[in-house]
Amino acid sequence: QLELVESGGGLVPPGGSLRLSCAASGSALDLWSIGWFRQAPGKEREGVSCITSSGDETSYADSVKGRFTISRDNAKNTVYLLMNSLKPEDTATYYCAPAWYYTNCRPVYDSWGQGTQVTVSS
């Protein structure tokens, strides 16, 4: 029932920032832990960050820790990913999905939306 739509991607120079949004419908967002994932061409999809349903705990991949911040506003049915100090290797399509926070933030379903493209380039 939960439907998620990603937005906020774009083209940004190295060192720049973007804030991605994951907007939910069809179910109460506060029932779900949410993960952000990304996939670059020719690479496996990888987990980026994760947040519990209440937002009281967060986790990050080592590659983004200290640069990215995940947050959520359940009243707005939205999860955010603030990406600072972006690097070219952050270039990927970014997806959000329900996840098992305490099981390495593995996605609950093998079902993905359109994602939002992030390109970091000068």
Side-chain angles (χ1 to χ4, degrees), residues 21-87:
S21 295
C22 174
S25 64
S27 183
L29 184 62
D30 61 6
L31 298 176
W32 303 88
S33 294
I34 298 293
W36 281 99
F37 306 82
R38 66 187 182 187
Q39 187 168 27
K43 296 184 179 180
E44 296 285 331
R45 182 181 288 109
E46 64 175 345
V48 176
S49 186
C50 205
I51 189 166
T52 56
S53 59
S54 68
D56 62 341
E57 294 184 54
T58 59
S59 64
Y60 301 90
D62 288 343
S63 60
V64 308
K65 190 174 183 179
R67 299 188 297 120
F68 291 10
T69 302
I70 190 170
S71 63
R72 65 193 299 157
D73 186 341
N74 286 338
K76 295 183 178 179
N77 288 323
T78 303
V79 174
Y80 304 97
L81 184 68
L82 176 62
M83 305 183 296
N84 292 324
S85 302
L86 282 162
K87 303 175 180 179

Side-chain angles (χ1 to χ4, degrees), residues 7-19:
S7 64
L11 176 65
V12 64
S17 298
L18 285 172
R19 188 177 74 161

